[in-house]
């Protein structure tokens, strides 16, 4: 617990120091990461802690965003509230709309719940462009950040600190919520809602409250997004935003409080860094998600937790080869996968087809990739990724076998110890 | 009047297409309790496979072969993906298919680019069937409707009149009992999943030539298919048919209606007041045609959660 706290304090210190170290572009990316982290944590309250899988959380993000943009334009353009308090407008509208939508959605559970949230989000998405007065039509609504409290909010750094403050406060509140009696009941909703009902709790009321609170924090995230962009558009209701938050949350891991925030920040940074390099970064995101679902159901945070548990159980010395092989295997597999995806993407791109058509009849022109040129017809081109994948697979397999062997060895040692103790007892 | 008949026909045929895609989905849900988010992706794959194949083996052969290939992919998805996460629970399976739909859409973009491909009705089928009030009605639309109706009859007979149908239905309602009686239930699941995927693939192969074949077609249809399945009742084939046609007709007719809620209020002398409110009140029904199915679905879920013809809730 103490180590965890130290880690969090160090993380916060690093976040505060960030604008002094990095360029404005990266500060902008960091703002996006913080907003995504808050959105994912708000989503996780509903999905991970209360066990209600929502497929339409963009609706509450969008409502918060539009509430904030209207608050910014309120009172003749000078703002309903001072700029630092504007996300409160998002919070209030998110809470209200979340309470309303949640009242309907939480009447059902499981798949039906997911379907209702999806329907509500689609309803918003298809209505928003037609309601010009409220959502500004296709063009959206724009606003200006007004100076307040001695800050002019003209630079990305000031917006960053504002976002950071809001995200830290919100995450703290969300964390403290899990410690309250109601927070514990939220877990009960996930584990066994029937039992809660028999114990006399108002399960529907509890569900609506959790839904509304989750929507409220999503609304804050939407409000922060608007303060950063100074505009809002009906695209905020797009299903892809709802999709992204589900992917981020599960990649991060739903069982650990900071897991979704970690996942969202990492995936947003991944998108920022990789979307310039490749067109297929959404494909990587999808593959990563499916791999996490299949092999690491507890997400990245769960992976760290597992590694820690293993280290405590068996000691670092015995596990070092396992970890080395696992990491090497993962690196090789991702290198091979990335090679194939990138190569195929270039091979099937329109530009390449145009070039190939120009020199019709001749051999297919080579493709530049990773600082080298590869001919699609040559065997080596296909051998490289195949070798990477095979060797990576062998490493992964070996790491797994090694882990099983260690666990087995410890089990037998413990068993024989028990037998010895038992036999000694007999003699005595 | 002619206008109404044409849009009614268009609506029915769009509804039949929706049924083709949702039939497999509702079967899979009824059986395994998994709402397959990747189902509309199978529809898209069918269209793309048929587009790729028709260049080499001709249109008809492509329409036959594409669903078979999609069915094969469905079998692989069930055997090597879904079955592996089965013990983590339904939410996990749902999320897995969700991830797969993502991968399929992005892979299509990788191979075919992020724009519509040139998949069109062959010249031999591109003629008009009849003329209504000066408007020629394309034959191919009738063909799509015919394929869907034929499919409905075949599945219905297969499920109710054959031995295979008995095993499948028993595996849907009492999987443990079916297993105890010596039927290979996992195999049945795999088969139904494959057939369901193939049906969606067939729909894609047939409809892709008429509507546009682009990487977003799964997204466009995907949510609508859920609406159909939920409104009809999860797991009910007849319900899927009924709700597809209702939704098809409603969306198709609503496009032609140029009235708003305010006009309704005007009948009671409150038109001015409603117009002064604006917003939802003055929104034309024609611009809300995409919204109506979702409103219908919400209504059904709240009033009759088991759907129009569903049994389990």
């Amino acid at each position: 617990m103490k180590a965890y706290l130290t880690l969090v304090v160090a993380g916060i210190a690093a976040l505060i120091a960030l604008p002094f170290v990095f360029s404005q572009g990266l500060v902008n990316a960091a703002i996006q990461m913080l907003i995504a982290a808050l959105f994912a944590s708000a989503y996780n309250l509903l999905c991970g802690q209360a066990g209600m899988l929502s497929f339409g959380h963009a609706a509450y993000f969008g409502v918060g965003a539009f509430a904030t943009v209207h608050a910014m334009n309120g009172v003749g353009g000078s703002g309903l509230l001072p700029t630092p308090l504007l996300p409160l407008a998002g919070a209030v509208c998110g809470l209200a709309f979340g309470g309303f939508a949640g009242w309907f959605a939480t009447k059902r559970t499981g798949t039906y719940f997911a379907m209702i949230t999806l329907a509500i989000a689609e309803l918003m998405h298809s209505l928003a462009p037609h309601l010009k007065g409220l959502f500004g039509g296709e063009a959206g609504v724009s606003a200006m950040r007004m100076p307040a409290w001695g800050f002019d909010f003209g630079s990305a750094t000031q917006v960053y600190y504002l976002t950071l403050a809001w995200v830290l406060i919100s995450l703290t509140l969300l964390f403290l919520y899990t410690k309250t009696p109601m927070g514990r009941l939220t877990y009960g909703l996930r584990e066994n809602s029937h039992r809660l009902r028999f114990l006399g709790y108002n399960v529907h009321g509890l569900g609506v409250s959790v839904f509304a609170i989750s929507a409220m924090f999503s609304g804050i995230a939407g409000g922060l997004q608007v303060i950063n962009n100074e505009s809002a558009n009906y695209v905020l209701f797009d299903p892809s935003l709802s999709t992204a938050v589900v992917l981020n949350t599960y990649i991060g891991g739903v069982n650990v409080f900071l897991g979704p925030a970690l996942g969202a920040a990492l995936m947003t940074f991944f998108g920022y860094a990789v979307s310039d390099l490749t067109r297929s970064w959404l494909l990587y995101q999808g593959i990563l998600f499916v791999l996490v679902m299949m092999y690491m159901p507890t997400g990245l945070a769960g992976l760290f937790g597992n590694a820690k548990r293993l280290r405590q159980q068996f000691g670092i010395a015995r596990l070092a080869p396992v970890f080395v092989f696992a990491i090497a295997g993962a690196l090789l597999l991702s290198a091979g996968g990335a090679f194939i995806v990138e190569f195929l993407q270039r091979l099937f791109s329109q530009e390449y087809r145009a070039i190939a058509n120009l020199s019709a009849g001749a051999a297919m022109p080579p493709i530049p990739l990773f600082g080298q040129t590869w001919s699609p017809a040559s065997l080596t081109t296909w051998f490289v990724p195949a070798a990477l994948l095979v060797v990576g697979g062998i490493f992964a397999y070996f790491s797994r076998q090694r882990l099983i062997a260690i666990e087995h060895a410890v089990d037998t040692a413990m068993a024989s110890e028990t037998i010895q103790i038992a036999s000694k007892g007999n003699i005595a | 009047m002619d206008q109404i008949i044409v849009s009614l026909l268009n609506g029915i045929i769009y509804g039949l297409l929706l049924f083709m895609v949702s039939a497999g989905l509702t079967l899979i849900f009824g059986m395994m309790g998994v709402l397959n988010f990747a189902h509309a992706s199978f529809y898209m794959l069918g269209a793309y496979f048929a587009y790729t194949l028709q260049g080499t083996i001709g249109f008809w052969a492509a329409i036959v072969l594409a669903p078979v290939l999609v069915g094969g992919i469905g079998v692989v998805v069930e055997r090597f993906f879904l079955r592996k996460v089965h013990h983590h629970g339904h939410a996990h399976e749902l999320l897995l298919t969700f991830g797969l739909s993502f991968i399929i859409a992005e892979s299509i973009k990788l191979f075919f680019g992020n724009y519509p491909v040139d998949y069109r009705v062959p010249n031999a089928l591109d003629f008009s069937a009849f003329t209504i009030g000066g408007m020629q009605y394309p034959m191919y639309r009738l063909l799509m409707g015919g394929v869907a109706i034929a499919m409905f009859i075949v599945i219905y007979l297969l499920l109710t009149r054959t031995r295979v149908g008995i095993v499948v239905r028993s595996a849907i309602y009492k999987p443990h009992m079916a297993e105890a009686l010596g039927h290979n239930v996992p195999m049945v699941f795999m088969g139904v999943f494959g057939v369901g995927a193939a049906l969606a693939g067939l729909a894609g192969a047939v409809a892709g030539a008429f509507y546009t074949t682009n990487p977003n077609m799964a997204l466009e249809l995907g949510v609508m298919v859920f609406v159909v399945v939920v409104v009809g009742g999860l797991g009910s084939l007849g319900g899927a048919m009924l709700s597809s046609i209702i939704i098809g007709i409603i969306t198709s007719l609503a496009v032609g209606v140029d009235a708003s809620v305010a006009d309704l209020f005007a009948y009671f002398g409150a038109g001015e007041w409603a117009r002064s409110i604006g917003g939802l009140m003055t929104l034309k029904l024609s611009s809300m045609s995409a919204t109506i199915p979702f409103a219908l679905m919400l209504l059904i879920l709240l009033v009759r959660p088991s759907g129009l013809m569903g049994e389990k809730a």
Side-chain angles (χ1 to χ4, degrees):
Chain A
M1 197 60 222
K2 204 173 172 193
Y4 197 63
L5 203 67
T6 325
L7 209 64
V8 169
V9 170
I12 294 173
L15 284 173
I16 291 173
L18 189 131
F20 295 104
V21 187
F22 293 111
S23 68
Q24 288 285 300
L26 272 167
V27 170
N28 253 324
I31 295 174
Q32 296 297 333
M33 284 161 71
L34 284 172
I35 293 170
L38 174 58
F39 189 27
S41 298
Y43 178 74
N44 190 44
L45 170 65
L46 188 66
C47 161
Q49 289 165 28
M52 295 191 265
L53 192 58
S54 158
F55 278 106
H57 235 53
Y60 316 103
F61 187 85
V63 164
F66 274 102
T68 309
V69 83
H70 285 301
M72 278 168 100
N73 282 332
V75 200
S78 54
L80 197 62
L81 296 164
T83 303
L85 295 180
L86 278 172
L88 278 179
V92 170
C93 286
L95 184 72
F97 185 57
F100 173 72
W103 191 82
F104 290 107
T106 49
K107 288 203 148 208
R108 311 272 167 241
T109 52
T111 312
Y112 290 95
F113 172 82
M115 290 289 99
I116 296 178
T117 54
L118 189 70
I120 293 171
E122 285 293 325
L123 213 64
M124 289 301 286
H125 182 234
S126 59
L127 268 182
H130 299 298
L131 296 172
K132 285 218 169 54
L134 207 51
F135 300 112
E138 307 257 324
V141 185
S142 55
M144 287 277 282
R145 291 192 292 263
M146 286 293 152
W149 300 357
F151 302 104
D152 61 359
F153 297 108
S155 69
T157 313
Q158 291 194 2
V159 178
Y160 172 79
Y161 280 119
L162 177 63
T163 312
L164 181 64
W166 269 98
V167 170
L168 287 181
I169 292 169
S170 304
L171 287 183
T172 313
L173 287 176
L174 276 168
F175 181 71
L176 291 179
Y177 171 84
T178 62
K179 302 290 168 201
T180 62
M182 191 171 150
R184 309 315 292 180
L185 282 178
T186 309
Y187 288 109
L189 211 55
R190 176 185 72 190
E191 295 301 332
N192 196 339
S193 62
H194 283 296
R195 191 174 231 179
L196 279 192
R197 185 171 291 128
F198 289 138
L199 286 172
Y201 291 104
N202 178 358
V203 172
H204 185 228
L206 183 66
V208 176
S209 319
V210 174
F211 197 103
I213 292 170
S214 169
M216 177 177 92
F217 284 102
S218 306
I220 294 178
L224 291 171
Q225 171 102 316
V226 161
I227 291 179
N228 184 31
N229 291 343
E230 299 191 304
S231 70
N233 173 297
Y234 85 99
V235 174
L236 282 169
F237 292 111
D238 201 78
S240 63
L241 193 64
S242 304
T243 314
V245 75
V246 179
L247 296 186
N248 290 343
T249 303
Y250 274 90
I251 289 174
V254 292
N255 295 331
V256 180
F257 179 76
L258 280 177
L262 177 82
L266 274 180
M267 291 316 287
T268 311
F269 182 74
F270 184 69
Y272 169 80
V274 177
S275 59
D276 285 344
L277 299 174
T278 167
R279 278 179 237 168
S280 15
W281 83 271
L282 284 172
L283 179 59
Y284 293 118
Q285 193 187 9
I287 294 175
L288 196 62
F289 177 73
V290 168
L291 287 178
V292 167
M293 282 289 112
M294 289 190 66
Y295 299 107
M296 297 189 286
T298 47
L300 291 176
L303 190 69
F304 292 133
N306 262 346
K308 197 178 152 202
R309 181 185 57 83
L310 285 173
R311 192 183 54 112
Q312 283 170 346
Q313 210 171 346
F314 303 121
I316 193 76
R318 280 157 100 175
L319 285 170
V322 176
F323 286 161
V324 167
F325 275 113
I327 291 169
L331 285 177
L332 285 172
L333 283 173
S334 28
F339 187 99
I340 289 185
V341 169
E342 290 304 309
F343 190 75
L344 286 177
Q345 186 225 308
R346 281 163 179 70
L347 186 63
F348 283 95
S349 70
Q350 226 176 358
E351 299 90 346
Y352 183 77
R353 269 187 246 180
I355 295 171
N357 282 341
L358 277 181
S359 57
M364 290 173 94
I367 294 171
L369 182 66
F370 302 127
Q372 218 140 10
T373 57
W374 312 81
S375 167
S378 138
L379 213 58
T380 24
T381 312
W382 299 102
F383 177 74
V384 170
L388 284 172
L389 288 180
V390 168
V391 177
I394 292 173
F395 276 22
Y397 176 78
F398 194 73
S399 138
R400 170 120 205 97
Q401 291 303 312
R402 196 71 216 129
L403 188 63
I404 292 172
I406 291 175
E407 278 175 347
H408 185 71
V410 170
D411 280 351
T412 31
M414 270 167 67
S416 61
E417 219 167 279
T418 327
I419 293 167
Q420 276 173 6
I421 292 167
S423 54
K424 270 180 200 157
N426 278 345
I427 295 164
Chain B
M1 192 60 213
D2 294 336
Q3 185 66 45
I4 292 180
I5 292 177
V6 169
S7 44
L8 202 63
L9 256 178
N10 283 352
I12 291 174
I13 288 179
Y14 178 65
L16 286 171
L17 167 72
L18 280 180
F19 166 74
M20 277 208 274
V21 185
S22 44
L25 184 66
T26 204
L27 280 183
I28 293 168
F29 183 87
M31 191 162 223
M32 319 210 267
V34 186
L35 203 54
N36 179 12
F37 260 84
H39 200 75
S41 309
F42 293 141
Y43 163 79
M44 176 165 74
L45 279 179
Y48 272 93
F49 282 166
Y51 160 70
T52 317
L53 290 170
Q54 59 139 13
T56 44
I57 61 173
F59 182 74
W60 290 108
I63 284 208
V64 176
L65 194 57
V68 176
L69 289 177
V70 176
I73 291 181
V75 167
V76 170
V77 164
E78 204 283 329
R79 176 70 189 77
F80 295 102
F81 289 88
L82 273 183
R83 202 176 289 181
K84 290 218 162 159
V85 301
H86 181 72
H87 58 276
H88 291 307
H90 284 335
H92 222 85
E93 290 175 299
L94 193 75
L95 286 164
L96 184 80
T97 59
F98 180 60
L100 285 174
S101 74
F102 214 75
I103 291 186
I104 292 174
E106 291 302 321
S107 310
I108 290 282
K109 284 182 196 165
L110 186 78
F111 287 111
F112 295 93
N114 197 359
Y115 41 82
V117 293
D118 185 31
Y119 179 33
R120 56 175 69 173
V121 178
N123 285 329
L125 290 171
D126 199 9
F127 57 91
S128 63
F130 49 83
T131 315
I132 307 175
M135 275 180 291
Q136 297 193 327
Y137 203 77
M139 179 65 196
Y140 195 79
R141 265 190 200 267
L142 295 184
L143 186 80
M144 289 195 297
V147 171
I149 291 172
M151 198 179 96
F152 176 67
I153 294 171
V154 169
I155 305 174
Y156 184 76
L157 291 180
L158 203 69
L159 278 179
T160 53
R161 297 280 187 277
T162 64
R163 213 184 143 65
V164 176
I166 294 174
V167 175
V168 167
R169 279 185 300 148
S170 65
I172 290 179
Y173 291 114
K174 292 266 186 288
H176 294 294
M177 183 57 91
E179 194 146 35
L181 290 173
H183 296 292
N184 190 348
V185 170
M187 192 74 171
V188 175
F189 279 4
M190 200 169 84
V192 169
F193 203 92
V195 170
L199 292 179
L202 175 68
V206 174
F210 194 81
Y211 302 103
T212 50
T213 299
N214 64 358
N216 289 327
M217 63 197 283
L219 206 71
E220 286 158 11
L221 201 69
V223 188
M224 203 53 82
V225 174
F226 288 139
V227 174
V228 166
V229 170
V230 170
V231 170
L234 292 161
S236 157
L237 205 62
M241 189 59 153
L242 182 67
S243 67
S244 327
I245 291 188
I246 291 176
I247 286 169
I249 291 175
I250 288 180
T251 47
S252 173
L253 285 184
V255 174
V257 180
D258 204 25
S260 63
V261 182
D263 293 337
L264 183 74
F265 276 89
Y267 278 113
F268 308 102
E272 286 306 310
W273 168 78
R275 252 179 273 282
S276 68
I277 290 180
L280 273 176
M281 286 290 188
T282 50
L283 210 57
K284 297 262 187 266
L285 198 61
S286 49
S287 63
M288 299 222 331
S289 69
T291 316
I292 293 170
F294 301 115
L296 182 68
M297 169 170 163
L298 268 183
L299 190 74
I300 290 280
L301 276 170
L302 296 171
V303 177
R304 193 180 150 82
S306 56
L308 293 177
M309 290 172 75
E311 287 165 20
K312 293 188 256 184

